[in-house]
Amino acid sequence: MVHISGTNLRRTLLETGVAILVVFLLRVTPSPAMVGDTGGAFGIDGSFRTIGALFRNYDFPAFFEGERTDDYFQTLFRLAAAGRPRDDLSYEVHLVQALSYFSGPGRRAGSGAVTLAGGKTRYRAMDEASEWWSGENARALLWMDRFNVKVALAGMDITLGRQAVTFGKAHFWNPMDVYLPFDPNQFDRDYKAGVDALRVDIPLGSFSGITLVGVLGRELDASGNYLEGDRTLDASRYGSSLLGRYFTNVAGWDFAFQAGEIYGGYQFGGGVVGEIRGVEVRGEAALFRASESPPLPGPLPGDV
């Protein structure tokens, strides 16, 4: 067993991030991929980054144990294999390794606003994540962020597997983006986390179409663990989703409407994007209706 102190681990993460940054700055010759070409039949690409943050705690000694500041470091390595062996067939596979450190006593490393999704999360029926090392303030986690196949047919595109699904066009907060959206204060947004889904895109014209999405997932408890236990493959209706979306363009304005069952209930939403005298206008709204509402703890009346 190798023991790594918080100070040494923090220094290692910082030195690794600086070294990788220097390598990337010196590497001025662009290339389509590390191996092969992801736009061709097969290719492997990757990214390596280190994120650091300093948090100033508010005055609550019982929670922060007297610490006025906390620091956070996360080193991420993403290996992506992708290709298009035929004109009507493409695929992508993303493997992510994260090493996270958070100085806050007793708190799980990697639970801050700058972390990626990984491990226990919504809209994933397969739990393949592996936490192969952990300490009081650090952990190393390996998981598959995407693995999907896309088939382009004459009248539709079908994508099956873990994939990033993004709806809506709002900048800061997006009520129509229900599948693992970015947190408003999350600044690392190069890769959106994938969900276990079957997606069908049906074009109806140059700027209109229908999208149908079915997602398998499981319910999480208040502590962020799976409610039914750590089975490799599992799903529940509460944690799954079936959503339909229609979008079109009318007089230069983009309109979108969506409805369906999402995590914990039902959603109905719509959005519009356009211009008024050269000024861009964006608007989105969504209504959520919970499928079940547990009662508030006594003596409070009513439901949550």
Side-chain angles (χ1 to χ4, degrees), residues 129-204:
S130 174
E131 186 177 271
W132 55 270
W133 180 83
S134 65
E136 182 181 0
N137 301 98
R139 67 170 177 167
L141 185 67
L142 178 69
W143 75 92
M144 299 292 293
D145 192 49
R146 299 181 194 178
F147 46 94
N148 62 77
V149 176
K150 181 177 179 179
V151 179
L153 304 177
M156 66 182 70
D157 293 339
I158 301 175
T159 309
L160 177 63
R162 184 164 295 177
Q163 55 189 285
V165 180
T166 302
F167 291 145
K169 297 182 178 181
H171 288 301
F172 179 71
W173 178 64
N174 193 332
M176 298 180 68
D177 191 9
V178 297
Y179 299 120
L180 304 184
F182 291 116
D183 190 273
N185 61 354
Q186 184 175 348
F187 55 82
D188 182 19
R189 300 190 175 196
D190 285 354
Y191 295 96
K192 188 181 181 185
V195 298
D196 296 341
L198 170 64
R199 173 171 179 166
V200 179
D201 293 293
I202 306 172
L204 301 178

